[in-house]
Amino acid sequence: LQVPGTCNSSAALKPHFFWLGVYITVLLISLLSSLICTATVFVTEEPAFYLDDRWLLVWLVTFLYFLSALPLSLLIANAGKTPATSYAICELVHKGLGFVTVVIFGVFYLDEVDMKEVADILSLVFMVLPSFSAAHAMSSIYKNYNLQQQCNIGLCKENRQIVL
């Protein structure tokens, strides 16, 4: 396989075919990865993620996460001098930054910390990170299910806040 545009011969791969191939490959990998993540949800048997066709939401969130992580990965791919360095940097950004932002957001939303306004502003800033967006969406699916269950047994007010 030749790098696109490096050779003037007719045997050289045209750039649009190269990038179409890359896109289709990434799309198939994203589809497979999201199906594996959705299957993992079924194994955990958490009703918030698989009852009432909620597994479709889980699949959609994971599929969109894998697709949205691609542009960031391609930007980071040229950061290192070797492929291994680029991969390590990419993993640190995706996993590390995603984990840190979710933890910061979660801690700021605690009642003891009382920084919900700051958390709201940070969530708008962090939404550009695919890891944060996916984690926030999964957390929202879980919280929404639990709130619905508590309201079904009469533990919430009209504005859907939990009464303890």
Side-chain angles (χ1 to χ4, degrees):
L1 181 66
Q2 294 180 359
V3 177
T6 59
C7 182
N8 291 331
S9 72
S10 61
L13 186 62
K14 304 293 183 208
H16 56 278
F17 287 126
F18 174 79
W19 288 112
L20 179 65
V22 168
Y23 176 75
I24 290 171
T25 303
V26 167
L27 186 66
L28 291 174
I29 290 171
S30 299
L31 182 64
L32 179 66
S33 301
S34 60
L35 288 174
I36 291 170
C37 288
T38 305
T40 305
V41 168
F42 279 110
V43 173
T44 61
E45 296 182 359
E46 177 57 49
F49 294 127
Y50 73 85
L51 286 182
D52 301 327
D53 293 332
R54 289 175 175 271
W55 65 271
L56 289 171
L57 287 173
V58 171
W59 177 80
L60 184 63
V61 166
T62 55
F63 181 68
L64 291 176
Y65 162 70
F66 287 117
L67 284 182
S68 65
L70 177 66
L72 183 60
S73 300
L74 291 176
L75 286 173
I76 297 170
N78 296 321
K81 293 183 180 182
T82 63
T85 305
S86 297
Y87 177 76
I89 292 170
C90 187
E91 287 300 307
L92 284 173
V93 168
H94 278 304
K95 306 299 187 284
L97 216 61
F99 176 76
V100 167
T101 55
V102 169
V103 168
I104 289 172
F105 180 76
V107 167
F108 282 0
Y109 251 98
L110 292 174
D111 289 333
E112 293 81 13
V113 178
D114 193 31
M115 295 183 73
K116 291 182 183 177
E117 295 83 15
V118 175
D120 289 337
I121 294 169
L122 286 177
S123 72
L124 295 174
V125 174
F126 292 157
M127 281 295 175
V128 298
L129 299 172
S131 299
F132 177 80
S133 297
H136 187 61
M138 295 297 280
S139 175
S140 295
I141 291 170
Y142 184 78
K143 288 176 185 176
N144 184 32
Y145 175 80
N146 286 331
L147 182 62
Q148 286 176 349
Q149 293 305 311
Q150 291 170 351
C151 288
N152 287 343
I153 60 173
L155 291 178
C156 62
K157 299 178 185 176
E158 289 181 23
N159 61 358
R160 296 258 186 206
Q161 291 183 353
I162 299 172
V163 178
L164 298 176

